[in-house]
Amino acid sequence: MNKGALQGIRVVEFAQFWVGPYTAEILTFLGAEVIKVESMRRLDPSRQLSLTTGQTFTGVDQSTVFNDLNLNKLDVCLDLTHPKAAGVAKGLAKASDVLVQNNRPGVMERLGLGYDAIREVRPDIIYLSSSARGSDGPERSYGGFAPCFAALSGLAEITGYADGPPFAESGRIDLLSSTTNAFAIIAALIYRKRTGKGQHIDASSSEVISALIGDVFMDYAMNGRVQTRRGNRDDIFAPHNCYRSKGDDKWISIAITNDDEWRAFVDAIGNPDWTREERFQDAFLRKQNEEELDRLVSQWTINHTHYEAMDILQRAGVAAVPSLSNAELYQDPHFKERGPSMEMVHPVIGKTTALNAPWKMSATPPTIRRHSPLLGEHNNYIFGELLGMSQEEIQALIDEKVIY
Amino acid sequence: MGKKALEGTKVLEYASFVSGPYCSKLLADLGAEVIKIERPGVGDKARERGPFPEDLPHPEKSGLFLYLNTSKKGITLDPKSTTGKKMFLELVKWADILIEDKPPKEMEGLGFTYEELKEVNQQLIMTSITPYGETGPYRDYKAYHLNICHVGGLGYLMPPNSPSLEREPLKAGGHSVDCACGVNAALATVSALYSRGVTGEGQSIDVSKQESLMNLVRVYAVAYANDKVNPNRGPIMGTAAAMGGLKKCKDGYIIATLAERPHWARFFKLIGKPEWDEDERFKDTLAIADHYNEIDPYISEWMMSRTRYEIYHQGQELGCPIAPVRSIDEVVNDPQLKGRDFFVEVDHPEAGKTVFPRGPYVFSETPWQGNPAPLLGQHNEEIYCQKLGYTKEDMVRLRESGII
């Protein structure tokens, strides 16, 4: 039976919001056991709000956003500022292969849970620290959320309309950090398996985003060129844009990157007269007359729904797909057939939908095994069975307000 | 030479342009031995795309290619010929991992499906990166970066607070989405490698670029599925609006992510209005969203009389999560990134000194190491003669017949 690629790996998470929690969730999809440690002094804020979608949730167990980012996990609740809590938390780290944390650099050290402290109890731990700007350097103490990373990385500057402001994306930026972090953790696990050695991984969310646009920095280094935003357009090819389709706020993206695709496009839209004009006869001219070309392409697309346009153009071998809203994605036949969407029952939220990991593996498919944990749901199992504390010991820590 | 996380891992890359090459670059820079197959005489499509030094196109000097193919060995091979196919299969036999990005039909036509390749190498891990995945009604459809941005649920939301819904939805800047698909594929690949180390079993991994992107904006997908929140590019409302967002200042733009009420207290202090912290109108973030219009003129004026870096450093000193939107040259010259050696200089035999980002993680034990990208066919002799046992005479004949 499939137990996942990372079966037998235990992860302890000290993280909030998105980057750290989703890093650990990826590992759970792959079969790892994740213990999320929440501090009564600072619960994971995703339990109460979503900055990206603008939603707020009542109580601590109602959030569909928290649910989606914390699937499959076990949850314990401590007061990490209590002097006795560090000892308990260290016990969890000792029992774990991986530690994931996304606090500001210095916070874990102050709590007595820094890499050096954990390495003492678990020498081969793989300890991931994910922060805005990394664990060293003059701005190590600076903080921020996803749009800050997009702004600092250079990506915001090159995203947006040519005549408009830059655009700093939100959600995707954080989950990119998580994906990168999970990759690094597994690479370190492979190394540990070979050598027995753990290590510290220091990740900066703004570096994660800069690494995705390396060629743009090379243009500056090579040519002194400072690239900026230019909508949907390409440096070389046209048409390359999103065009208005029939209906309310419906759009189709079309990208043509060679003469074969251009000829296929012209045939598919019925060889209108304008396509024979000299100013559109080769790629160089099409790019030069792009404004006018876009206007003429729109005259065709506006008379078709985005799905009709996709069918006609893809049949001809042209890269054309709708710009889909989330509602449309859920109706889309391709998504319906392959889609990673899954329904489950959450004890407080009720019936709810979450998404599985975005890859299909033949031997170890990623799995959603249970809903996200309620706050402190696994205190008894983790402290009692895993750490072997007696009921009396647990009760004493509850009375002392170490465990909640 | 430090220790390498993925030392001893053998990867065959049959991919071109961005996603597939970025995926195997991530493995190569951590020490895997990656053999990249390119089309004889022509090479990877990225060789045709800039940036080029002094804007002079040259297949060995493309910044995009040099960035995406660090630390790999390069060979040329046309697997469509009978001999070429045989050589391809010999390489598959050698490899632990095959990374490919060909249309599913093309791999089927060549006889290179996972089932067929498994006959040659029982333990093979085969990662296939395609626009829409290996199954489903769109599996043979085409897509470029622009199309993926729009079909993955991201483009339709960009930019929020659009000046007009009559304007087209946008793609993300650069090749950032294609690179992100590469990270996603690399993550699944190393998890399969870890699992193979435990069970001895290989597998196929089907990575859809559409799903990769959709996963990164999964919070919206889940918000729709559960709460029927279906945003387009309209005005930002509620808690998301209460974050502050993009602000114009004296020399550009600042992004403020004042997610929680304490951030606003620090922000009020920053802008010289500490008394607003006590003001009933601003008692929580929702109240701030309601009354924001009353203080916007003051904030705008305050911003307009200061530079991005004044606001950034003063704000961060006070603990405000805010950041400047930085131009590409500012990122390259950033003291924080310099302090962390983020941009590395790599000497390439044809292109000379090149500057690009290192990997977005700092490993304490197995540091990232980027070596120059291969010239077209640079390692033909090493791979074909030394690894596969072809003679120098064979090499001449293979070259003459266009197979390598």
Side-chain angles (χ1 to χ4, degrees):
Chain A
M1 201 195 113
N2 166 45
K3 290 188 177 149
L6 299 182
Q7 59 174 296
I9 295 294
R10 182 177 293 129
V11 181
V12 61
E13 170 199 317
F14 298 86
Q16 312 91 37
F17 283 111
W18 289 17
V19 173
Y22 186 62
T23 300
E25 182 176 274
I26 292 171
L27 304 175
T28 75
F29 288 144
L30 293 165
E33 177 184 277
V34 173
I35 302 167
K36 184 180 179 80
V37 181
E38 292 192 76
S39 182
M40 206 51 205
R41 294 296 179 106
R42 182 158 175 70
L43 298 178
D44 188 337
S46 296
R47 286 190 177 279
Q48 280 162 320
L49 57 113
S50 163
L51 305 168
T52 297
T53 63
Q55 293 165 279
T56 51
F57 305 96
T58 47
V60 293
D61 294 316
Q62 289 273 11
S63 165
T64 48
V65 171
F66 178 86
N67 184 58
D68 186 61
L69 296 171
N70 294 279
L71 297 162
N72 295 335
K73 295 181 189 173
L74 307 171
D75 192 279
V76 297
C77 191
L78 297 168
D79 176 357
L80 285 175
T81 62
H82 193 289
K84 282 195 179 167
V88 179
K90 262 191 195 173
L92 293 173
K94 190 180 175 181
S96 301
D97 303 283
V98 177
L99 186 151
V100 172
Q101 68 100 359
N102 69 340
N103 299 281
R104 275 194 202 218
V107 169
M108 289 296 274
E109 284 74 11
R110 279 201 296 284
L111 294 170
L113 300 170
Y115 177 56
D116 289 333
I118 298 302
R119 200 162 46 154
E120 273 176 31
V121 296
R122 178 80 196 216
D124 68 346
I125 193 90
I126 290 160
Y127 188 116
L128 175 100
S129 301
S130 190
S131 61
R133 310 240 56 204
S135 306
D136 59 9
E139 293 179 14
R140 66 185 173 278
S141 65
Y142 286 17
F145 295 94
C148 294
F149 314 147
L152 288 164
S153 69
L155 180 62
E157 174 70 18
I158 62 164
T159 303
Y161 297 118
D163 61 349
F167 174 53
E169 284 181 62
S170 184
R172 180 171 80 104
I173 300 300
D174 274 346
L175 300 198
L176 273 165
S177 274
S178 311
T179 307
T180 307
N181 292 344
F183 165 74
I185 289 169
I186 300 168
L189 278 169
I190 290 170
Y191 181 75
R192 192 190 72 165
K193 193 158 191 309
R194 210 168 65 241
T195 64
K197 286 185 184 158
Q199 58 184 317
H200 182 243
I201 304 167
D202 170 18
S204 147
S205 290
S206 38
E207 289 176 4
V208 164
I209 307 308
S210 291
L212 303 177
I213 52 170
D215 54 304
V216 176
F217 299 117
M218 291 181 88
D219 201 11
Y220 172 68
M222 286 173 165
N223 300 311
R225 184 176 294 114
V226 179
Q227 290 192 17
T228 184
R229 52 203 167 272
R230 49 195 186 286
N232 285 311
R233 287 181 171 165
D234 186 73
D235 288 339
I236 296 173
F237 301 112
H240 194 279
N241 212 333
C242 216
Y243 301 90
R244 196 72 196 252
S245 309
K246 199 193 269 182
D248 181 24
D249 199 21
K250 304 291 183 202
W251 302 83
I252 177 121
S253 66
I254 303 173
I256 287 173
T257 69
N258 57 48
D259 282 336
D260 287 346
E261 288 173 349
W262 168 251
R263 280 187 290 271
F265 174 75
V266 168
D267 278 347
I269 66 169
N271 290 292
D273 288 343
W274 62 264
T275 58
R276 283 188 289 277
E277 290 175 29
E278 194 182 292
R279 58 188 174 151
F280 302 127
Q281 288 321 302
D282 62 41
F284 182 78
L285 290 166
R286 287 193 291 275
K287 180 67 193 171
Q288 210 165 35
N289 298 298
E290 189 169 17
E291 285 294 334
E292 193 52 17
L293 178 62
D294 275 353
R295 196 183 61 79
L296 292 161
V297 171
S298 294
Q299 287 181 354
W300 182 80
T301 58
I302 194 71
N303 290 312
H304 299 270
T305 68
H306 49 6
Y307 274 102
E308 281 166 11
M310 173 174 78
D311 290 343
I312 294 168
L313 296 176
Q314 289 281 3
R315 233 179 291 135
V318 174
V321 283
S323 189
L324 292 174
S325 72
N326 281 291
E328 287 175 303
L329 265 171
Y330 273 87
Q331 302 302 315
D332 184 84
H334 189 74
F335 177 82
K336 278 188 179 165
E337 185 173 324
R338 280 181 61 92
S341 180
M342 197 192 130
E343 279 198 357
M344 72 190 70
V345 177
H346 180 287
V348 177
I349 301 168
K351 210 164 98 179
T352 187
T353 300
L355 294 185
N356 202 339
W359 56 78
K360 297 194 186 302
M361 301 173 79
S362 61
T364 56
T367 50
I368 297 179
R369 301 177 294 280
R370 79 187 296 279
H371 56 82
S372 64
L374 307 179
L375 182 63
E377 184 181 344
H378 303 94
N379 280 352
N380 276 331
Y381 165 71
I382 299 293
F383 298 128
E385 286 188 41
L386 183 67
L387 297 189
M389 293 162 130
S390 67
Q391 271 313 309
E392 294 72 41
E393 284 174 288
I394 294 173
Q395 192 55 49
L397 290 171
I398 291 171
D399 294 343
E400 285 181 86
K401 296 194 184 309
V402 176
I403 294 176
Y404 280 82
Chain B
M1 291 289 278
K3 298 159 196 154
K4 296 171 178 178
L6 299 179
E7 181 145 33
T9 302
K10 293 174 282 187
V11 180
L12 183 64
E13 175 195 315
Y14 185 41
S16 175
F17 209 46
V18 178
S19 298
Y22 193 65
C23 172
S24 54
K25 164 200 165 72
L26 294 173
L27 308 179
D29 292 342
L30 294 184
E33 180 181 6
V34 176
I35 297 179
K36 178 185 178 76
I37 296 177
E38 295 187 76
R39 251 176 80 193
V42 186
D44 187 313
K45 216 169 90 185
R47 292 183 183 272
E48 297 164 16
R49 287 304 297 258
F52 299 104
E54 291 167 54
D55 291 321
L56 293 170
H58 185 295
E60 298 297 355
K61 297 183 185 179
S62 152
L64 183 65
F65 179 85
L66 297 177
Y67 179 59
L68 297 174
N69 293 284
T70 47
S71 311
K72 300 178 190 175
K73 290 176 179 169
I75 60 171
T76 50
L77 179 64
D78 176 11
K80 289 180 182 85
S81 63
T82 307
T83 305
K85 181 174 175 177
K86 183 175 151 271
M87 293 165 81
F88 183 90
L89 295 178
E90 288 174 55
L91 289 164
V92 167
K93 196 169 178 180
W94 161 84
D96 300 307
I97 297 168
L98 169 66
I99 290 166
E100 65 90 9
D101 67 351
K102 306 297 169 225
K105 265 190 180 161
E106 189 177 322
M107 291 300 272
E108 286 163 16
L110 287 165
F112 293 163
T113 62
Y114 172 66
E115 285 68 30
E116 288 162 309
L117 296 180
K118 203 181 163 188
E119 295 293 315
V120 177
N121 179 347
Q122 275 294 312
Q123 289 196 309
L124 182 69
I125 293 166
M126 176 170 172
T127 303
S128 301
I129 307 168
T130 55
Y132 309 97
E134 300 282 308
T135 60
Y138 303 163
R139 70 159 215 160
D140 297 322
Y141 281 5
K142 253 182 162 168
Y144 296 106
H145 185 264
L146 168 78
N147 308 106
I148 295 299
C149 288
H150 288 289
V151 78
L154 175 67
Y156 193 76
L157 306 171
M158 294 205 346
N161 265 342
S162 176
S164 161
L165 285 177
E166 297 299 309
R167 294 198 70 171
E168 68 280 9
L170 286 177
K171 76 177 188 73
H175 299 285
S176 64
V177 168
D178 271 351
C179 281
C181 296
V183 183
N184 191 41
L187 160 63
T189 303
V190 288
S191 81
L193 183 64
Y194 183 84
S195 175
R196 196 181 86 152
V198 177
T199 65
E201 196 181 356
Q203 57 184 313
S204 68
I205 305 171
D206 169 5
V207 179
S208 144
K209 293 190 195 182
Q210 180 193 19
E211 286 162 16
S212 299
L213 176 56
M214 202 188 150
N215 180 67
L216 295 170
V217 290
R218 60 188 285 141
V219 175
Y220 295 105
V222 167
Y224 172 73
N226 290 309
D227 307 307
K228 295 292 169 275
V229 179
N230 188 36
N232 53 8
R233 302 168 308 290
I236 299 174
M237 314 285 269
T239 43
M243 280 177 81
L246 191 73
K247 298 278 169 229
K248 213 165 174 12
C249 67
K250 198 174 175 179
D251 64 344
Y253 293 90
I254 278 281
I255 188 98
T257 56
L258 308 171
E260 298 173 282
R261 184 57 181 78
H263 299 141
W264 280 94
R266 299 169 205 162
F267 182 71
F268 290 148
K269 204 167 156 194
L270 171 69
I271 61 173
K273 289 285 180 187
E275 65 272 21
W276 284 354
D277 193 33
E278 308 294 321
D279 196 316
E280 208 30 42
R281 288 175 300 167
F282 312 126
K283 67 178 185 337
D284 56 37
T285 50
L286 290 179
I288 291 168
D290 287 342
H291 294 282
Y292 185 76
N293 283 344
E294 298 161 35
I295 51 175
D296 185 55
Y298 175 85
I299 293 172
S300 297
E301 204 186 312
W302 187 90
M303 292 274 179
M304 287 305 288
S305 61
R306 281 162 186 83
T307 65
R308 285 169 301 151
Y309 283 94
E310 283 167 4
I311 300 168
Y312 177 45
H313 294 303
Q314 287 168 20
Q316 287 283 356
E317 289 304 322
L318 291 168
C320 276
I322 58 181
V325 175
R326 301 200 296 183
S327 58
I328 296 305
D329 52 327
E330 288 175 317
V331 179
V332 175
N333 297 313
D334 175 22
Q336 171 68 12
L337 293 178
K338 285 212 162 108
R340 289 172 54 79
D341 299 319
F342 181 65
F343 286 99
V344 294
E345 199 178 275
V346 174
D347 224 347
H348 184 272
E350 290 275 346
K353 279 191 182 7
T354 54
V355 174
F356 48 74
R358 60 157 162 72
Y361 18 65
V362 178
F363 287 89
S364 64
E365 175 78 12
T366 55
W368 180 92
Q369 294 172 44
N371 296 312
L375 305 173
L376 185 59
Q378 184 183 340
H379 300 91
N380 277 353
E381 198 176 306
E382 179 188 326
I383 305 301
Y384 293 129
C385 299
Q386 290 164 29
K387 261 197 183 37
L388 302 186
Y390 288 85
T391 65
K392 292 215 166 156
E393 292 74 34
D394 291 335
M395 296 292 282
V396 175
R397 287 193 291 273
L398 288 165
R399 198 168 293 131
E400 286 306 307
S401 50
I403 294 167
I404 67 170

